[in-house]
Amino acid sequence: MPSSKQVHVDAALSSFIAGYEPAEYFADIISPIVETQKASDKYTTYLREDVERRVDDALAENGQASELDYSQGTGSYLVKDRGLKGVVTRKTQANADEPQDPREFTTQQVMWALMREREIRVADGFNSTSNYATSNTSAAANPWTNTTSGTPLADVDAMKEALAPGMMEKTELVMVLAKPTWHALRRHPDLRGAGAESRVVTLQEAANLLEVDRILVSEAWKLTNNRGQAATRERIWSPSNAIIARVPSGEPSGLTGLFAATMRFAAGAGFPIEVRTWDDPSRGRGGSEVVQVEFSDDEIFVQNDMAYLLTGVA
């Protein structure tokens, strides 16, 4: 009798592919997108001093009210065009087994790559002390990995105290940590208290204890080697840093308090992100289809006291 192997010819499964997907990206949350009608322009800035300066509001029986004044400045942006493309030959598409769809997967890979590069740009900006006010960046006295001397609760309180204020209904506080930093924080005795039964705190419990609206924990990596070399990786968000930023609770519009924003130009057909396809008859058997994803943006850091960078936490 033939064996079970002999009576079957292996073929590609039609409902399963093993593969990798990127981690969650947070750039759109902590550097929210502001759609613009021009590739470069100026925007108005108001001063914190005018919001906090005391004025004499006493009104005499037959007198006039004191006159209030304020100052304003301008900032500017200049978008940079960004785009990537993928090529799929007609032969490859026609020859693909289910569930493979080379055209769809190529488009997905292009989009993932653009999202990754944007995440890296935003993370690099948030991890750079030059984008913060002098009083809004410091090094932790002891790392949070030290369960005896580390003081994450006091450190986070000091970070929040340095932030410029914002209205509760318009802004929220967001904390960004790399995965190892979160792991050090979640098991630190400072957050569990004396006699705690649980060995760790949950993400929501930590946010409540630290009095931030949410904690974003990044698992994202980037390759640091050149193509063809052995893979070497590092995390996109540095495990050495903890960041708290004030971000809009809704879409940025009108008077908005925030640390970072992304100016995105709605070019071409008027869409912020465009996907274009065209035929290239010169490439491959029967020609090819080219898929290109493109957008134009500029990540800017506009209010340097709306976030805090604490280094050396892990």
Side-chain angles (χ1 to χ4, degrees):
M1 292 292 293
S3 66
S4 60
K5 183 177 181 180
Q6 290 174 316
V7 298
H8 171 73
V9 177
D10 289 345
L13 289 175
S14 61
S15 59
F16 174 77
I17 296 177
Y20 293 92
E21 295 178 329
E24 293 288 341
Y25 293 142
F26 305 132
D28 285 355
I29 298 175
I30 60 173
S31 182
I33 294 170
V34 178
E35 293 187 16
T36 69
Q37 301 303 313
K38 299 294 181 181
S40 65
D41 233 327
K42 297 182 181 296
Y43 56 89
T44 300
T45 60
Y46 293 139
L47 302 181
R48 178 178 175 181
E49 288 79 359
D50 290 327
V51 177
E52 300 173 341
R53 184 179 291 110
R54 295 195 62 190
V55 294
D56 182 5
D57 61 353
L59 184 60
E61 179 72 21
N62 198 29
Q64 294 185 1
S66 298
E67 186 173 324
L68 189 68
D69 63 357
Y70 63 90
S71 302
Q72 69 181 52
T74 59
S76 60
Y77 70 88
L78 174 62
V79 302
K80 185 173 183 178
D81 296 333
R82 304 186 184 278
L84 292 171
K85 68 181 180 182
V87 179
V88 181
T89 66
R90 303 289 185 192
K91 179 181 178 181
T92 299
Q93 183 71 15
N95 196 49
D97 292 323
E98 291 186 358
Q100 295 189 59
D101 186 336
R103 181 183 181 279
E104 180 180 332
F105 185 67
T106 298
T107 304
Q108 184 68 77
Q109 288 280 44
V110 169
M111 183 63 76
W112 283 346
L114 287 169
M115 291 169 59
R116 181 187 63 246
E117 295 307 311
R118 168 162 153 70
E119 187 81 358
I120 292 171
R121 291 194 301 274
V122 170
D124 287 348
F126 271 80
N127 285 321
S128 173
T129 57
S130 63
N131 289 322
Y132 295 81
T134 304
S135 58
N136 282 60
T137 181
S138 64
N142 294 290
W144 297 351
T145 48
N146 188 324
T147 56
T148 302
S149 302
T151 55
L153 190 57
D155 291 341
V156 171
D157 283 346
M159 294 168 73
K160 293 183 298 181
E161 289 167 8
L163 297 180
M167 290 188 174
M168 292 176 59
E169 69 272 15
K170 289 188 175 182
T171 64
E172 59 180 18
L173 292 182
V174 174
M175 189 176 196
V176 185
L177 303 172
K179 194 77 169 183
T181 319
W182 160 241
H183 285 163
L185 180 63
R186 71 193 294 261
R187 60 177 177 260
H188 199 283
D190 220 18
L191 268 68
R192 293 186 291 113
E197 294 182 6
S198 175
R199 297 180 61 86
V200 296
V201 295
T202 67
L203 204 60
Q204 188 57 57
E205 288 172 339
N208 293 340
L209 288 168
L210 298 174
E211 294 183 337
V212 297
D213 292 288
R214 52 177 161 169
I215 302 174
L216 303 177
V217 180
S218 175
E219 297 180 309
W221 295 83
K222 60 183 177 182
L223 287 178
T224 58
N225 59 285
N226 295 324
R227 182 177 291 276
Q229 297 177 334
T232 55
R233 296 178 175 87
E234 66 179 34
R235 293 186 181 273
I236 291 179
W237 291 91
S238 172
S240 299
N241 298 340
I243 296 166
I244 295 181
R246 193 175 296 283
V247 302
S249 54
E251 183 178 341
S253 179
L255 184 65
T256 304
L258 78 177
F259 177 68
T262 299
M263 302 301 196
R264 179 161 292 169
F265 177 39
F271 299 107
I273 298 179
E274 293 184 80
V275 180
R276 297 192 293 124
T277 61
W278 66 89
D279 292 326
D280 187 344
S282 67
R283 302 184 65 166
R285 167 76 166 82
S288 298
E289 185 175 11
V290 183
V291 180
Q292 180 162 313
V293 182
E294 56 196 19
F295 57 85
S296 305
D297 66 10
D298 183 15
E299 287 84 13
I300 59 174
F301 297 87
V302 293
Q303 293 173 304
N304 62 9
D305 54 0
M306 287 283 190
Y308 196 103
L309 171 66
L310 185 67
T311 62
V313 297

